[in-house]
mmCIF file of all heavy atoms in Angstrom:
data_model
loop_
_atom_site.group_PDB
_atom_site.id
_atom_site.type_symbol
_atom_site.label_atom_id
_atom_site.label_comp_id
_atom_site.label_asym_id
_atom_site.label_seq_id
_atom_site.Cartn_x
_atom_site.Cartn_y
_atom_site.Cartn_z
ATOM 1 N N GLU A 238 5.447 -20.800 -16.176
ATOM 2 C CA GLU A 238 5.309 -19.292 -16.055
ATOM 3 C C GLU A 238 5.856 -18.783 -17.397
ATOM 4 O O GLU A 238 6.759 -19.209 -18.172
ATOM 5 C CB GLU A 238 6.261 -18.820 -15.009
ATOM 6 C CG GLU A 238 5.804 -19.363 -13.599
ATOM 7 C CD GLU A 238 6.688 -18.784 -12.537
ATOM 8 O OE1 GLU A 238 7.706 -18.191 -12.963
ATOM 9 O OE2 GLU A 238 6.372 -18.959 -11.337
ATOM 10 N N ALA A 239 5.368 -17.630 -17.813
ATOM 11 C CA ALA A 239 5.799 -16.926 -19.012
ATOM 12 C C ALA A 239 7.208 -16.264 -18.819
ATOM 13 O O ALA A 239 7.494 -15.839 -17.653
ATOM 14 C CB ALA A 239 4.797 -15.713 -19.453
ATOM 15 N N PRO A 240 8.126 -16.312 -19.781
ATOM 16 C CA PRO A 240 9.287 -15.739 -19.538
ATOM 17 C C PRO A 240 9.200 -14.219 -19.364
ATOM 18 O O PRO A 240 8.222 -13.530 -19.847
ATOM 19 C CB PRO A 240 10.158 -16.064 -20.975
ATOM 20 C CG PRO A 240 9.063 -16.403 -21.873
ATOM 21 C CD PRO A 240 7.924 -17.009 -21.087
ATOM 22 N N ALA A 241 10.357 -13.653 -18.848
ATOM 23 C CA ALA A 241 10.265 -12.196 -18.446
ATOM 24 C C ALA A 241 10.158 -11.295 -19.743
ATOM 25 O O ALA A 241 9.526 -10.312 -19.671
ATOM 26 C CB ALA A 241 11.432 -11.705 -17.665
ATOM 27 N N ASP A 242 10.645 -11.883 -20.849
ATOM 28 C CA ASP A 242 10.512 -11.011 -22.022
ATOM 29 C C ASP A 242 9.207 -10.899 -22.573
ATOM 30 O O ASP A 242 8.965 -9.952 -23.458
ATOM 31 C CB ASP A 242 11.470 -11.668 -23.121
ATOM 32 C CG ASP A 242 12.977 -11.533 -22.842
ATOM 33 O OD1 ASP A 242 13.239 -10.764 -22.003
ATOM 34 O OD2 ASP A 242 13.718 -12.310 -23.327
ATOM 35 N N ASP A 243 8.233 -11.670 -22.233
ATOM 36 C CA ASP A 243 6.973 -11.735 -22.664
ATOM 37 C C ASP A 243 6.066 -10.779 -21.968
ATOM 38 O O ASP A 243 4.915 -10.525 -22.261
ATOM 39 C CB ASP A 243 6.291 -13.098 -22.670
ATOM 40 C CG ASP A 243 6.937 -13.977 -23.738
ATOM 41 O OD1 ASP A 243 7.553 -13.393 -24.614
ATOM 42 O OD2 ASP A 243 6.867 -15.199 -23.521
ATOM 43 N N LEU A 244 6.517 -10.233 -20.770
ATOM 44 C CA LEU A 244 5.768 -9.270 -19.993
ATOM 45 C C LEU A 244 5.622 -7.916 -20.743
ATOM 46 O O LEU A 244 6.640 -7.345 -21.237
ATOM 47 C CB LEU A 244 6.500 -8.977 -18.645
ATOM 48 C CG LEU A 244 6.374 -10.306 -17.733
ATOM 49 C CD1 LEU A 244 7.131 -9.913 -16.423
ATOM 50 C CD2 LEU A 244 4.944 -10.761 -17.406
ATOM 51 N N PRO A 245 4.420 -7.216 -20.545
ATOM 52 C CA PRO A 245 4.409 -5.881 -21.101
ATOM 53 C C PRO A 245 5.201 -4.926 -20.361
ATOM 54 O O PRO A 245 5.464 -5.072 -19.256
ATOM 55 C CB PRO A 245 2.735 -5.568 -21.036
ATOM 56 C CG PRO A 245 2.408 -6.421 -19.832
ATOM 57 C CD PRO A 245 3.195 -7.661 -20.023
ATOM 58 N N PRO A 246 5.588 -3.811 -21.063
ATOM 59 C CA PRO A 246 6.286 -2.696 -20.209
ATOM 60 C C PRO A 246 5.583 -2.197 -19.086
ATOM 61 O O PRO A 246 4.255 -2.247 -19.101
ATOM 62 C CB PRO A 246 6.599 -1.635 -21.301
ATOM 63 C CG PRO A 246 6.528 -2.373 -22.608
ATOM 64 C CD PRO A 246 5.497 -3.455 -22.404
ATOM 65 N N ALA A 247 6.233 -1.700 -18.185
ATOM 66 C CA ALA A 247 5.537 -1.204 -16.943
ATOM 67 C C ALA A 247 4.497 -0.084 -17.196
ATOM 68 O O ALA A 247 3.369 -0.059 -16.649
ATOM 69 C CB ALA A 247 6.556 -0.650 -15.965
ATOM 70 N N GLY A 248 4.683 0.815 -18.156
ATOM 71 C CA GLY A 248 3.809 1.908 -18.528
ATOM 72 C C GLY A 248 2.629 1.399 -19.194
ATOM 73 O O GLY A 248 1.745 2.037 -19.568
ATOM 74 N N ASP A 249 2.675 0.124 -19.878
ATOM 75 C CA ASP A 249 1.600 -0.266 -20.819
ATOM 76 C C ASP A 249 0.657 -1.241 -19.990
ATOM 77 O O ASP A 249 -0.305 -1.746 -20.608
ATOM 78 C CB ASP A 249 2.032 -1.181 -21.794
ATOM 79 C CG ASP A 249 2.923 -0.268 -22.892
ATOM 80 O OD1 ASP A 249 2.678 1.026 -22.777
ATOM 81 O OD2 ASP A 249 3.687 -0.734 -23.594
ATOM 82 N N VAL A 250 0.768 -1.390 -18.666
ATOM 83 C CA VAL A 250 -0.108 -2.243 -17.841
ATOM 84 C C VAL A 250 -1.433 -1.531 -17.735
ATOM 85 O O VAL A 250 -1.451 -0.383 -17.220
ATOM 86 C CB VAL A 250 0.510 -2.645 -16.427
ATOM 87 C CG1 VAL A 250 -0.480 -3.506 -15.746
ATOM 88 C CG2 VAL A 250 1.862 -3.451 -16.746
ATOM 89 N N ALA A 251 -2.513 -2.171 -17.970
ATOM 90 C CA ALA A 251 -3.831 -1.584 -17.903
ATOM 91 C C ALA A 251 -4.125 -1.400 -16.391
ATOM 92 O O ALA A 251 -3.743 -2.176 -15.591
ATOM 93 C CB ALA A 251 -4.841 -2.490 -18.545
ATOM 94 N N VAL A 252 -4.852 -0.320 -16.154
ATOM 95 C CA VAL A 252 -5.332 -0.002 -14.743
ATOM 96 C C VAL A 252 -6.213 -1.043 -14.294
ATOM 97 O O VAL A 252 -7.250 -1.408 -14.944
ATOM 98 C CB VAL A 252 -5.933 1.371 -14.713
ATOM 99 C CG1 VAL A 252 -6.553 1.673 -13.373
ATOM 100 C CG2 VAL A 252 -4.959 2.353 -15.073
ATOM 101 N N GLY A 253 -6.054 -1.673 -13.170
ATOM 102 C CA GLY A 253 -6.894 -2.731 -12.594
ATOM 103 C C GLY A 253 -6.624 -4.060 -13.118
ATOM 104 O O GLY A 253 -7.307 -4.992 -12.843
ATOM 105 N N ALA A 254 -5.636 -4.122 -14.116
ATOM 106 C CA ALA A 254 -5.359 -5.496 -14.615
ATOM 107 C C ALA A 254 -4.402 -6.369 -13.857
ATOM 108 O O ALA A 254 -3.609 -5.768 -13.071
ATOM 109 C CB ALA A 254 -4.787 -5.437 -15.962
ATOM 110 N N ALA A 255 -4.563 -7.664 -13.863
ATOM 111 C CA ALA A 255 -3.561 -8.463 -13.098
ATOM 112 C C ALA A 255 -2.219 -8.377 -13.682
ATOM 113 O O ALA A 255 -1.971 -8.529 -14.883
ATOM 114 C CB ALA A 255 -4.060 -9.915 -13.145
ATOM 115 N N THR A 256 -1.256 -8.068 -12.820
ATOM 116 C CA THR A 256 0.139 -8.041 -13.338
ATOM 117 C C THR A 256 0.845 -9.286 -12.807
ATOM 118 O O THR A 256 0.880 -9.569 -11.664
ATOM 119 C CB THR A 256 0.780 -6.855 -12.473
ATOM 120 O OG1 THR A 256 0.133 -5.780 -12.895
ATOM 121 C CG2 THR A 256 2.302 -6.782 -13.053
ATOM 122 N N PRO A 257 1.423 -9.969 -13.727
ATOM 123 C CA PRO A 257 2.093 -11.320 -13.511
ATOM 124 C C PRO A 257 3.214 -11.115 -12.362
ATOM 125 O O PRO A 257 3.928 -10.235 -12.514
ATOM 126 C CB PRO A 257 2.598 -11.828 -14.782
ATOM 127 C CG PRO A 257 1.922 -11.135 -15.808
ATOM 128 C CD PRO A 257 1.516 -9.799 -15.192
ATOM 129 N N GLY A 258 3.161 -11.982 -11.378
ATOM 130 C CA GLY A 258 4.155 -11.838 -10.275
ATOM 131 C C GLY A 258 3.860 -10.912 -9.191
ATOM 132 O O GLY A 258 4.582 -10.767 -8.257
ATOM 133 N N LEU A 259 2.659 -10.153 -9.324
ATOM 134 C CA LEU A 259 2.366 -9.101 -8.306
ATOM 135 C C LEU A 259 1.140 -9.484 -7.496
ATOM 136 O O LEU A 259 0.492 -8.566 -6.907
ATOM 137 C CB LEU A 259 2.283 -7.674 -9.003
ATOM 138 C CG LEU A 259 3.443 -7.235 -9.566
ATOM 139 C CD1 LEU A 259 3.163 -5.822 -10.083
ATOM 140 C CD2 LEU A 259 4.659 -7.047 -8.525
ATOM 141 N N GLY A 260 0.674 -10.758 -7.693
ATOM 142 C CA GLY A 260 -0.465 -11.112 -6.893
ATOM 143 C C GLY A 260 -1.762 -10.722 -7.542
ATOM 144 O O GLY A 260 -1.905 -10.650 -8.731
ATOM 145 N N THR A 261 -2.827 -10.325 -6.820
ATOM 146 C CA THR A 261 -4.079 -9.922 -7.237
ATOM 147 C C THR A 261 -4.054 -8.570 -7.859
ATOM 148 O O THR A 261 -3.152 -7.737 -7.636
ATOM 149 C CB THR A 261 -5.154 -9.919 -6.125
ATOM 150 O OG1 THR A 261 -4.658 -8.993 -5.148
ATOM 151 C CG2 THR A 261 -5.274 -11.307 -5.509
ATOM 152 N N PRO A 262 -4.954 -8.168 -8.899
ATOM 153 C CA PRO A 262 -4.924 -6.879 -9.397
ATOM 154 C C PRO A 262 -5.269 -5.694 -8.493
ATOM 155 O O PRO A 262 -6.074 -5.992 -7.571
ATOM 156 C CB PRO A 262 -6.016 -6.942 -10.498
ATOM 157 C CG PRO A 262 -6.879 -8.009 -10.083
ATOM 158 C CD PRO A 262 -6.029 -8.971 -9.360
ATOM 159 N N ASP A 263 -4.616 -4.698 -8.756
ATOM 160 C CA ASP A 263 -4.776 -3.458 -7.866
ATOM 161 C C ASP A 263 -6.150 -2.850 -8.229
ATOM 162 O O ASP A 263 -6.472 -2.767 -9.409
ATOM 163 C CB ASP A 263 -3.749 -2.395 -8.063
ATOM 164 C CG ASP A 263 -2.304 -3.067 -7.539
ATOM 165 O OD1 ASP A 263 -2.316 -3.822 -6.738
ATOM 166 O OD2 ASP A 263 -1.307 -2.683 -8.128
ATOM 167 N N THR A 264 -6.784 -2.410 -7.316
ATOM 168 C CA THR A 264 -8.044 -1.709 -7.405
ATOM 169 C C THR A 264 -7.869 -0.210 -7.368
ATOM 170 O O THR A 264 -7.509 0.388 -6.382
ATOM 171 C CB THR A 264 -9.085 -2.066 -6.439
ATOM 172 O OG1 THR A 264 -9.306 -3.568 -6.562
ATOM 173 C CG2 THR A 264 -10.551 -1.445 -6.645
ATOM 174 N N VAL A 265 -8.184 0.511 -8.478
ATOM 175 C CA VAL A 265 -8.040 2.082 -8.525
ATOM 176 C C VAL A 265 -9.530 2.517 -8.561
ATOM 177 O O VAL A 265 -10.310 2.212 -9.327
ATOM 178 C CB VAL A 265 -7.300 2.265 -9.729
ATOM 179 C CG1 VAL A 265 -7.196 3.890 -9.908
ATOM 180 C CG2 VAL A 265 -5.956 1.649 -9.841
ATOM 181 N N PRO A 266 -9.727 3.464 -7.570
ATOM 182 C CA PRO A 266 -11.104 4.097 -7.452
ATOM 183 C C PRO A 266 -11.316 4.848 -8.694
ATOM 184 O O PRO A 266 -10.364 5.481 -9.295
ATOM 185 C CB PRO A 266 -10.922 4.963 -6.216
ATOM 186 C CG PRO A 266 -9.587 5.283 -6.092
ATOM 187 C CD PRO A 266 -8.877 4.053 -6.567
ATOM 188 N N PRO A 267 -12.563 5.179 -8.979
ATOM 189 C CA PRO A 267 -13.023 6.043 -10.182
ATOM 190 C C PRO A 267 -12.487 7.409 -9.970
ATOM 191 O O PRO A 267 -12.419 7.895 -8.745
ATOM 192 C CB PRO A 267 -14.467 5.905 -10.211
ATOM 193 C CG PRO A 267 -14.854 5.493 -9.007
ATOM 194 C CD PRO A 267 -13.767 4.598 -8.381
ATOM 195 N N GLU A 268 -12.142 8.202 -10.993
ATOM 196 C CA GLU A 268 -11.813 9.590 -10.772
ATOM 197 C C GLU A 268 -12.922 10.416 -10.401
ATOM 198 O O GLU A 268 -14.161 10.270 -10.646
ATOM 199 C CB GLU A 268 -11.171 10.021 -12.149
ATOM 200 C CG GLU A 268 -9.912 9.438 -12.545
ATOM 201 C CD GLU A 268 -9.531 9.984 -13.926
ATOM 202 O OE1 GLU A 268 -10.138 10.836 -14.388
ATOM 203 O OE2 GLU A 268 -8.406 9.398 -14.397
ATOM 204 N N VAL A 269 -12.599 11.402 -9.443
ATOM 205 C CA VAL A 269 -13.660 12.328 -8.916
ATOM 206 C C VAL A 269 -13.735 13.540 -9.903
ATOM 207 O O VAL A 269 -12.676 14.109 -10.119
ATOM 208 C CB VAL A 269 -13.350 12.750 -7.514
ATOM 209 C CG1 VAL A 269 -14.228 13.706 -6.917
ATOM 210 C CG2 VAL A 269 -13.264 11.528 -6.686
ATOM 211 N N PRO A 270 -14.827 13.913 -10.417
ATOM 212 C CA PRO A 270 -14.816 15.084 -11.321
ATOM 213 C C PRO A 270 -14.246 16.372 -10.614
ATOM 214 O O PRO A 270 -14.584 16.590 -9.482
ATOM 215 C CB PRO A 270 -16.374 15.213 -11.699
ATOM 216 C CG PRO A 270 -16.958 13.820 -11.372
ATOM 217 C CD PRO A 270 -16.033 13.361 -10.258
ATOM 218 N N ALA A 271 -13.552 17.146 -11.389
ATOM 219 C CA ALA A 271 -13.013 18.353 -10.739
ATOM 220 C C ALA A 271 -14.069 19.423 -10.616
ATOM 221 O O ALA A 271 -15.040 19.590 -11.380
ATOM 222 C CB ALA A 271 -11.947 18.981 -11.668
ATOM 223 N N ASP A 272 -13.953 20.316 -9.455
ATOM 224 C CA ASP A 272 -14.854 21.387 -9.170
ATOM 225 C C ASP A 272 -16.368 21.048 -9.100
ATOM 226 O O ASP A 272 -17.131 21.534 -9.816
ATOM 227 C CB ASP A 272 -14.659 22.541 -10.309
ATOM 228 C CG ASP A 272 -13.236 23.032 -10.403
ATOM 229 O OD1 ASP A 272 -12.567 23.078 -9.340
ATOM 230 O OD2 ASP A 272 -12.712 23.432 -11.479
ATOM 231 N N THR A 273 -16.539 20.050 -8.364
ATOM 232 C CA THR A 273 -18.020 19.781 -8.187
ATOM 233 C C THR A 273 -18.714 20.599 -7.136
ATOM 234 O O THR A 273 -19.934 20.587 -7.151
ATOM 235 C CB THR A 273 -18.021 18.315 -7.536
ATOM 236 O OG1 THR A 273 -17.371 18.111 -6.406
ATOM 237 C CG2 THR A 273 -17.438 17.254 -8.626
ATOM 238 N N GLY A 274 -17.960 21.458 -6.559
ATOM 239 C CA GLY A 274 -18.586 22.504 -5.618
ATOM 240 C C GLY A 274 -18.914 21.859 -4.172
ATOM 241 O O GLY A 274 -19.247 22.646 -3.289
ATOM 242 N N SER A 275 -18.699 20.561 -3.997
ATOM 243 C CA SER A 275 -18.926 19.947 -2.678
ATOM 244 C C SER A 275 -17.960 18.787 -2.584
ATOM 245 O O SER A 275 -17.591 18.236 -3.716
ATOM 246 C CB SER A 275 -20.372 19.481 -2.513
ATOM 247 O OG SER A 275 -20.746 18.612 -3.430
ATOM 248 N N GLU A 276 -17.606 18.496 -1.471
ATOM 249 C CA GLU A 276 -16.700 17.307 -1.167
ATOM 250 C C GLU A 276 -17.500 16.244 -0.675
ATOM 251 O O GLU A 276 -18.514 16.485 0.211
ATOM 252 C CB GLU A 276 -15.622 17.800 -0.070
ATOM 253 C CG GLU A 276 -14.682 18.803 -0.646
ATOM 254 C CD GLU A 276 -13.610 19.105 0.406
ATOM 255 O OE1 GLU A 276 -13.733 18.573 1.476
ATOM 256 O OE2 GLU A 276 -12.708 19.938 -0.054
ATOM 257 N N SER A 277 -17.180 15.027 -0.903
ATOM 258 C CA SER A 277 -17.864 13.860 -0.458
ATOM 259 C C SER A 277 -17.536 13.700 1.097
ATOM 260 O O SER A 277 -16.396 14.011 1.481
ATOM 261 C CB SER A 277 -17.576 12.564 -1.145
ATOM 262 O OG SER A 277 -16.114 12.431 -1.146
ATOM 263 N N PRO A 278 -18.466 13.207 1.933
ATOM 264 C CA PRO A 278 -18.128 13.016 3.230
ATOM 265 C C PRO A 278 -16.944 12.146 3.480
ATOM 266 O O PRO A 278 -16.587 11.243 2.613
ATOM 267 C CB PRO A 278 -19.503 12.382 3.788
ATOM 268 C CG PRO A 278 -20.514 12.734 2.812
ATOM 269 C CD PRO A 278 -19.787 12.893 1.567
ATOM 270 N N ALA A 279 -16.356 12.280 4.673
ATOM 271 C CA ALA A 279 -15.077 11.511 4.834
ATOM 272 C C ALA A 279 -15.311 10.035 4.844
ATOM 273 O O ALA A 279 -14.580 9.184 4.407
ATOM 274 C CB ALA A 279 -14.426 12.002 6.067
ATOM 275 N N ASP A 280 -16.554 9.638 5.386
ATOM 276 C CA ASP A 280 -16.816 8.382 5.572
ATOM 277 C C ASP A 280 -17.214 7.499 4.255
ATOM 278 O O ASP A 280 -17.377 6.392 4.111
ATOM 279 C CB ASP A 280 -17.911 8.028 6.635
ATOM 280 C CG ASP A 280 -19.145 8.763 6.189
ATOM 281 O OD1 ASP A 280 -19.126 9.569 5.323
ATOM 282 O OD2 ASP A 280 -20.153 8.528 6.928
ATOM 283 N N GLU A 281 -17.495 8.466 3.263
ATOM 284 C CA GLU A 281 -17.770 7.918 1.936
ATOM 285 C C GLU A 281 -16.697 7.994 0.945
ATOM 286 O O GLU A 281 -16.878 7.431 -0.194
ATOM 287 C CB GLU A 281 -19.071 8.648 1.308
ATOM 288 C CG GLU A 281 -20.296 8.388 2.205
ATOM 289 C CD GLU A 281 -21.590 9.115 1.595
ATOM 290 O OE1 GLU A 281 -21.256 9.745 0.491
ATOM 291 O OE2 GLU A 281 -22.584 9.195 2.106
ATOM 292 N N ALA A 282 -15.572 8.465 1.378
ATOM 293 C CA ALA A 282 -14.439 8.630 0.480
ATOM 294 C C ALA A 282 -13.813 7.229 0.107
ATOM 295 O O ALA A 282 -13.718 6.409 1.044
ATOM 296 C CB ALA A 282 -13.285 9.550 1.181
ATOM 297 N N PRO A 283 -13.450 6.961 -1.135
ATOM 298 C CA PRO A 283 -12.812 5.630 -1.509
ATOM 299 C C PRO A 283 -11.512 5.547 -0.752
ATOM 300 O O PRO A 283 -10.856 6.426 -0.547
ATOM 301 C CB PRO A 283 -12.729 5.707 -2.979
ATOM 302 C CG PRO A 283 -12.820 7.152 -3.367
ATOM 303 C CD PRO A 283 -13.663 7.807 -2.327
ATOM 304 N N ALA A 284 -11.256 4.270 -0.384
ATOM 305 C CA ALA A 284 -9.969 4.015 0.215
ATOM 306 C C ALA A 284 -8.837 4.306 -0.554
ATOM 307 O O ALA A 284 -8.780 4.018 -1.747
ATOM 308 C CB ALA A 284 -9.965 2.580 0.675
#
């Protein structure tokens, strides 16, 4: 395993990247554009 000093700072971890020691990478949904005028249906909203 890599030593703890070789880990990047918490704020520098890329979105969706695998974080050592935290299991599988977190999945972040794409951003929804603001003021689209309509809301997506509830059943199509990303988890």
Side-chain angles (χ1 to χ4, degrees):
E238 300 177 352
D242 293 340
D243 293 339
L244 294 177
D249 295 340
V250 177
V252 174
T256 305
L259 295 180
T261 58
D263 296 331
T264 301
V265 179
E268 297 182 358
V269 179
D272 300 329
T273 57
S275 62
E276 295 182 358
S277 58
D280 55 353
E281 298 180 1

